[in-house]
């Protein structure tokens, strides 16, 4: 198996990896020193040239997002998305718990580049250890002069605070997160205006995922050319793949984008349990379309997964072996989305509930052919017709599940 | 007069201090610590302190699953029912196992007020499934033996 240099997860397995002393011992905050000597424009140019795209699911080019932030606005904010909740995804929790300074260094550099003097960390309420690690990291960074006024004598000021969510998946959506930071129900806002124009308290706001931010110090330190030499044409750099389900060695694997799904599953995650064969894979978290085993040679990159009819999403690979009941898989994912719907718009709120009812009947063996037809009709109707991407995310597993495994749904009906 | 009251309320809504409003979730966490759930009085106190109406506070609190409006046991056991936990023989199996040990179903509290059993969505522990949380502590790679250990330890604590 080819060896890949660990970059994002280089520290996580060291003893006391969360401490600032450990982070400093292995070269931490040298990228910040370098960045503060660069102009903000030069940093943005470097991040643009690196080809880095957001790692939170949407895959938007990071440098372009930074460039959208108005240069002349007196007050701008940075919001740090630690609201990891997409089923199958567990990478952000690992970095926050084991290497919070790697994110914080990225936060400081990013804030400097976009000219923000205030950053807000939003973290899932369930991540109790993560909350503690964030707070400790921030307080140590203040003590070392990496936060506060006149950071390292550069004249740049930045304050960072931590805000706990309280159990709502939708708050991972950037405008819902902004609402929640303002102390409101986490209901997504209409876009446009995008947060870069009008975000937190109406001010230009950059919302960035934790893994994305953790890439920034490395890009600044080693250069865009190094970063963009890794990966594929449209998917540059490294990615943490969260592998779970029926594999021998589930876990987080940091690999170049473009690594084949097959290699991630068999070479890194130890293959499928009991030597069974694979029936289906969810390649990018629960909201990405399910693919069948014949797609296993697909490289894990934005463009190749799109061509395969699915998406990279958060890079959360859920492997399901030949014994898996796909109707139950689809039912379970749908139940998640129905539970997490914010209730703001009708297709997601009511349509989701109706789809779940059809799936409950089918899974229980009391469904009819009509349930399958109605389920498909509803999923098509919801797809692309909701206020935020959640409705489409809800429809994807159902539509792909029906496309690939319709026979299993029909079997459930026949059994009656 | 009802009319005057309404306009007064409208005025108070118009001057909500955004900085205070932003403290609402944190304030609700603090308020919840008192009794383990948010009493009507706690909600009212939060509203008063932050210059919000009771209904605004209730509306926001009820949106988030970690804020409770009903009493719970001293230990709240939240078993993940996500896909990866299910694929790893967890989810309902863990719920049933814990439920049988404690003699309660999801949503119920033991008669001594010690344990509440709940099911939750993904806990971001898919790589270490099955998983559950007890209050703020996360437990991963669950097996019947490890669940026995956890419950016995909690039962021993007074």
């Amino acid at each position: 198996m080819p060896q890949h240099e660990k970059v994002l997860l280089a520290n996580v397995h060291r003893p006391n990896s969360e401490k600032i002393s450990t982070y400093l011992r292995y070269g931490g905050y040298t990228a910040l020193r370098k960045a503060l000597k660069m102009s903000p424009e030069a940093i943005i140019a470097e991040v643009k040239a690196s080809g880095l795209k957001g790692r939170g699911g949407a895959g938007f080019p990071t440098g372009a997002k930074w460039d959208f932030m108005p240069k002349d606005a007196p007050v701008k904010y940075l919001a740090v998305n630690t609201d990891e909740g997409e089923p199958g995804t567990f990478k952000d929790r690992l970095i926050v718990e084991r290497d919070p300074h790697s994110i914080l260094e990225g936060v400081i550099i990013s804030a400097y580049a976009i000219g923000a003097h205030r950053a807000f960390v939003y973290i899932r309420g369930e991540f109790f250890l993560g909350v503690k690690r964030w707070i400790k990291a921030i307080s140590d960074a203040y003590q070392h002069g990496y936060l506060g006024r006149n950071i390292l004598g550069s004249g740049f000021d930045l304050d960072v605070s931590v805000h706990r969510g309280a159990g709502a998946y939708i708050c991972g959506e950037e405008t819902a997160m902004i609402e929640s930071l303002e102390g409101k129900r986490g209901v997504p806002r209409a876009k446009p205006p995008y947060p870069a124009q009008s975000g937190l308290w109406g001010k230009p706001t950059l919302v960035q995922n934790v893994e994305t931010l953790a890439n920034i110090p490395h890009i600044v330190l080693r250069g865009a050319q190094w970063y963009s030499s890794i990966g594929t044409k449209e998917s540059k750099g490294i990615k943490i793949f969260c592998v779970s389900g029926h594999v021998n060695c589930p876990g987080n694997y940091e690999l170049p984008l473009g690594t084949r799904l097959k290699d991630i599953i068999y070479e890194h995650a130890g293959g499928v349990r009991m030597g069974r064969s694979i029936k289906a894979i969810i390649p990018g978290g629960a909201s990405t379309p399910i693919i069948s085993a014949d797609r296993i040679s697909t490289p894990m990159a934005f463009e190749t997964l799109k061509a395969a009819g699915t998406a990279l999403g958060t890079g959360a690979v859920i492997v399901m072996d030949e014994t898996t009941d796909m109707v139950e898989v689809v039912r379970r994912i749908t139940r998640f989305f129905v539970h997490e719907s914010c209730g703001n718009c009708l297709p997601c709120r009511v349509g989701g509930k109706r789809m779940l009812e059809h799936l409950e009947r089918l899974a229980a063996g009391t469904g009819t052919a009509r349930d399958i037809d109605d389920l498909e009709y509803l999923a098509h109707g919801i797809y692309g017709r909701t206020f935020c991407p959640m409705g489409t995310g809800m429809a994807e597993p159902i539509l792909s599940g029906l496309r690939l495994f319709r026979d299993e749904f029909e079997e459930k009906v026949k059994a009656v | 007069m009802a009319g005057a009251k309404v306009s007064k309320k409208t005025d108070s809504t118009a001057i909500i201090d955004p900085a205070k409003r932003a403290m609402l979730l944190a304030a609700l966490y603090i308020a919840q610590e008192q009794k383990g759930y948010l009493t009507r009085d706690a909600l009212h106190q939060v509203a008063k302190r932050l210059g919000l109406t009771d209904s605004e506070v209730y509306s926001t609190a009820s949106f988030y699953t970690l804020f409770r409006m009903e009493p719970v046991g001293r230990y709240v056991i939240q078993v993940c029912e996500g896909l990866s936990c299910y694929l790893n023989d967890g989810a309902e199996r863990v719920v049933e196992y814990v439920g049988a040990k404690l003699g309660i179903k999801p949503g119920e509290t033991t008669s001594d007020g010690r344990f509440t059993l709940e099911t939750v969505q993904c806990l971001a522990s898919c790589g270490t499934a099955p998983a559950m949380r007890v209050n703020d502590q996360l437990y991963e790679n669950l097996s019947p033996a490890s669940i026995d250990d956890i419950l016995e330890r909690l039962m021993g604590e007074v």
Side-chain angles (χ1 to χ4, degrees):
Chain A
M1 157 189 353
Q3 280 299 310
H4 301 285
E5 180 204 353
K6 292 262 178 296
V7 178
L8 301 174
L9 300 181
N11 286 331
V12 294
H13 300 296
R14 300 189 204 278
N16 300 314
S17 61
E18 74 279 10
K19 296 210 165 111
I20 195 165
S21 53
T22 313
Y23 190 63
L24 288 168
R25 194 175 315 134
Y26 294 98
Y29 289 107
T30 40
L32 176 63
R33 286 176 194 280
K34 183 178 175 186
L36 291 173
K37 289 190 187 102
M38 295 165 72
S39 70
E41 295 76 25
I43 297 173
I44 295 176
E46 200 70 17
V47 172
K48 266 187 166 174
S50 76
L52 175 66
K53 289 179 179 172
R55 304 298 196 227
F60 195 83
T62 306
K65 203 171 175 181
W66 291 15
D67 222 9
F68 289 155
M69 292 291 285
K71 308 282 178 286
D72 49 355
V75 179
K76 290 176 249 185
Y77 298 124
L78 171 61
V80 183
N81 191 341
T82 325
D83 199 47
E84 179 172 60
E86 175 86 2
T89 317
F90 46 96
K91 63 190 175 65
D92 296 344
R93 185 166 75 85
L94 174 75
I95 316 175
V96 171
E97 289 180 359
R98 305 300 318 237
D99 198 10
H101 286 284
S102 71
I103 314 163
L104 191 53
E105 188 173 8
V107 168
I108 306 166
I109 297 170
S110 309
Y112 172 72
I114 61 162
H117 300 289
R118 190 74 175 79
F120 300 86
V121 170
Y122 188 87
I123 178 164
R124 253 187 99 166
E126 290 90 343
F127 287 2
F128 197 67
L129 180 61
V131 172
K132 289 204 278 189
R133 293 277 156 89
W134 255 128
I135 292 171
K136 174 74 176 140
I138 289 167
S139 119
D140 286 348
Y142 269 104
Q143 286 204 344
H144 281 73
Y146 302 130
L147 284 175
R149 296 191 73 82
N150 191 18
I151 294 168
L152 300 174
S154 65
F156 174 64
D157 308 332
L158 178 66
D159 286 304
V160 184
S161 53
V162 178
H163 303 263
R164 274 181 87 184
Y169 164 79
I170 192 63
C171 292
E173 194 280 333
E174 59 181 5
T175 61
M177 169 173 302
I178 288 169
E179 287 286 303
S180 188
L181 277 170
E182 290 185 1
K184 299 171 186 163
R185 294 164 66 92
V187 175
R189 292 179 182 174
K191 291 196 266 192
Y194 290 91
Q197 285 105 47
S198 176
L200 194 55
W201 298 302
K203 305 292 183 205
T205 305
L206 173 70
V207 185
Q208 208 84 78
N209 164 265
V210 155
E211 186 190 350
T212 313
L213 289 163
N215 277 282
I216 301 298
H218 302 287
I219 291 170
V220 165
L221 208 55
R222 300 166 73 166
Q225 211 175 359
W226 160 77
Y227 196 82
S228 62
S229 71
I230 307 164
T232 67
K233 195 161 169 283
E234 287 171 49
S235 309
K236 300 295 185 194
I238 40 181
K239 177 83 191 77
I240 303 171
F241 296 105
C242 316
V243 190
S244 69
H246 292 140
V247 289
N248 283 312
C249 311
N252 280 304
Y253 297 94
E254 178 189 337
L255 294 163
L257 276 165
T259 304
R260 289 186 310 172
L261 196 45
K262 190 178 175 172
D263 298 334
I264 294 176
I265 296 168
Y266 286 98
E267 290 188 22
H268 298 278
V272 182
R273 280 185 212 155
M274 290 178 269
R276 286 185 176 140
S277 59
I278 296 174
K279 182 190 273 186
I281 303 158
I282 294 173
S287 64
T288 59
I290 304 167
I291 51 175
S292 53
D294 57 358
R295 296 284 189 181
I296 198 155
S297 294
T298 309
M300 288 291 281
F302 293 104
E303 67 274 25
T304 46
L305 284 164
K306 198 176 167 196
T310 185
L312 180 68
T314 58
V317 179
I318 306 172
V319 179
M320 292 161 276
D321 73 19
E322 56 193 309
T323 68
T324 312
D325 176 348
M326 294 311 292
V327 178
E328 174 53 24
V329 167
V330 173
R331 182 193 75 87
R332 195 166 290 263
I333 297 173
T334 306
R335 190 182 57 179
F336 170 82
F337 286 115
V338 169
H339 184 269
E340 296 300 332
S341 173
C342 81
N344 188 37
C345 64
L346 183 119
C348 178
R349 182 182 70 238
V350 180
K353 225 169 195 134
R354 291 292 94 85
M355 292 196 299
L356 183 58
E357 286 166 5
H358 292 303
L359 283 162
E360 301 276 4
R361 277 199 288 275
L362 288 164
T366 58
T368 63
R370 180 74 194 270
D371 281 302
I372 301 176
D373 293 342
D374 287 353
L375 175 66
E376 194 167 29
Y377 174 76
L378 281 168
H380 276 300
I382 291 168
Y383 190 95
R385 291 189 180 86
T386 49
F387 202 73
C388 83
M390 164 103 86
T392 299
M394 186 186 272
E396 293 279 25
I398 295 171
L399 291 172
S400 54
L402 281 170
R403 197 167 54 239
L404 296 168
F405 304 103
R406 198 177 186 100
D407 53 328
E408 287 196 33
F409 286 78
E410 284 165 354
E411 279 298 313
K412 297 265 182 191
V413 171
K414 266 189 226 152
V416 180
Chain B
M1 266 170 67
K5 223 175 182 176
V6 168
S7 70
K8 204 175 162 194
K9 261 201 177 145
T10 318
D11 285 350
S12 77
T13 316
I15 54 153
I16 283 175
D17 178 352
K20 276 193 177 173
R21 172 94 207 207
M23 285 189 267
L24 181 52
L25 269 64
L28 289 168
Y29 270 118
I30 295 166
Q32 185 162 268
E33 272 175 27
Q34 321 285 318
K35 290 215 157 67
Y37 73 105
L38 292 163
T39 60
R40 279 185 86 97
D41 183 54
L43 289 165
H44 179 66
Q45 293 302 327
V46 168
K48 226 167 88 179
R49 293 283 285 273
L50 298 181
L52 301 167
T53 61
D54 287 13
S55 72
E56 282 168 323
V57 171
Y58 180 82
S59 161
T60 305
S62 62
F63 183 83
Y64 297 94
T65 56
L66 292 183
F67 296 131
R68 310 164 186 288
M69 308 295 173
E70 302 290 334
V72 282
R74 194 168 138 207
Y75 298 109
V76 180
I77 301 172
Q78 299 182 309
V79 180
C80 179
E81 284 201 316
L83 177 58
S84 295
C85 282
Y86 160 73
L87 296 173
N88 284 282
D89 298 328
E92 284 81 357
R93 291 200 195 187
V94 175
V95 173
E96 276 162 31
Y97 189 82
V98 175
K101 288 220 106 181
L102 298 175
I104 49 174
K105 289 194 186 74
E108 294 178 352
T109 301
T110 53
S111 53
D112 62 0
R114 213 183 268 192
F115 295 99
T116 298
L117 179 60
E118 291 180 347
T119 60
V120 289
Q121 302 301 321
C122 189
L123 288 174
S125 305
C126 316
T128 44
M132 68 178 192
R133 250 164 54 96
V134 181
N135 294 353
D136 286 323
Q137 181 69 45
L138 179 67
Y139 296 94
E140 301 168 281
N141 295 310
L142 294 172
S143 64
S146 72
I147 295 171
D148 288 349
D149 284 350
I150 295 161
L151 293 181
E152 267 162 42
R153 199 162 38 74
L154 295 174
M155 283 172 184
E157 283 175 21
V158 182

